[in-house]
Amino acid sequence: MTALAIAIIIAAYLLGSVSSAVLVCRAFGLPDPRDQGSKNPGATNVYRLGGRFAAALVLLCDMLKGTIPVWLSYLIGINPFLLGLIAIAACLGHIYPVFFIFEAGKGLLPRSARWHRSG
């Protein structure tokens, strides 16, 4: 693996760690989504706090933080296996962001439901 690929993987993780919900809420003068509503910094909670436009902007930014590093890496000729690692790094950054002490994104299930057993 080249130094360039390692740098891109790290950059993808860091870009994924940026919370679009917090940034959009600050830009629109909305309350911090980590303190209001469901306390989840995601598009659904931002929808509750600020409406459709703010939520759509969060969703778009969240998609772009994974798309941009992969797309740029593809354009410079990074091999497909490393493209997958770059995509995974961006997803891990979104779910476990370094800027919020590795707690923020939901990923697949809410934290309260991860270890829940029905029955």
Side-chain angles (χ1 to χ4, degrees):
M1 188 176 321
T2 66
L4 177 62
I6 293 171
I8 294 172
I9 289 170
I10 292 169
Y13 174 80
L14 292 174
L15 184 61
S17 291
V18 173
S19 176
S20 304
V22 173
L23 294 177
V24 167
C25 284
R26 285 186 184 166
F28 284 86
L30 300 170
D32 191 325
R34 297 169 294 170
D35 298 329
Q36 300 288 319
S38 67
K39 299 184 181 182
N40 180 44
T44 304
N45 197 28
V46 172
Y47 175 72
R48 289 185 201 109
L49 299 173
R52 288 182 187 169
F53 182 73
L57 195 55
V58 169
L59 186 60
L60 176 66
C61 290
D62 281 350
M63 289 187 301
L64 288 175
K65 22 185 226 188
T67 304
I68 289 172
V70 173
W71 183 69
L72 291 175
S73 300
Y74 173 78
L75 287 179
I76 64 171
I78 299 290
N79 79 45
F81 176 74
L82 294 176
L83 289 176
L85 291 181
I86 292 165
I88 289 169
C91 289
L92 287 175
H94 179 75
I95 299 169
Y96 302 106
V98 68
F99 303 124
F100 297 109
I101 313 167
F102 306 105
E103 293 182 7
K106 228 190 324 190
L108 184 59
L109 294 173
R111 293 196 192 301
S112 60
R114 283 190 182 161
W115 307 109
H116 177 71
R117 294 169 90 175
S118 60

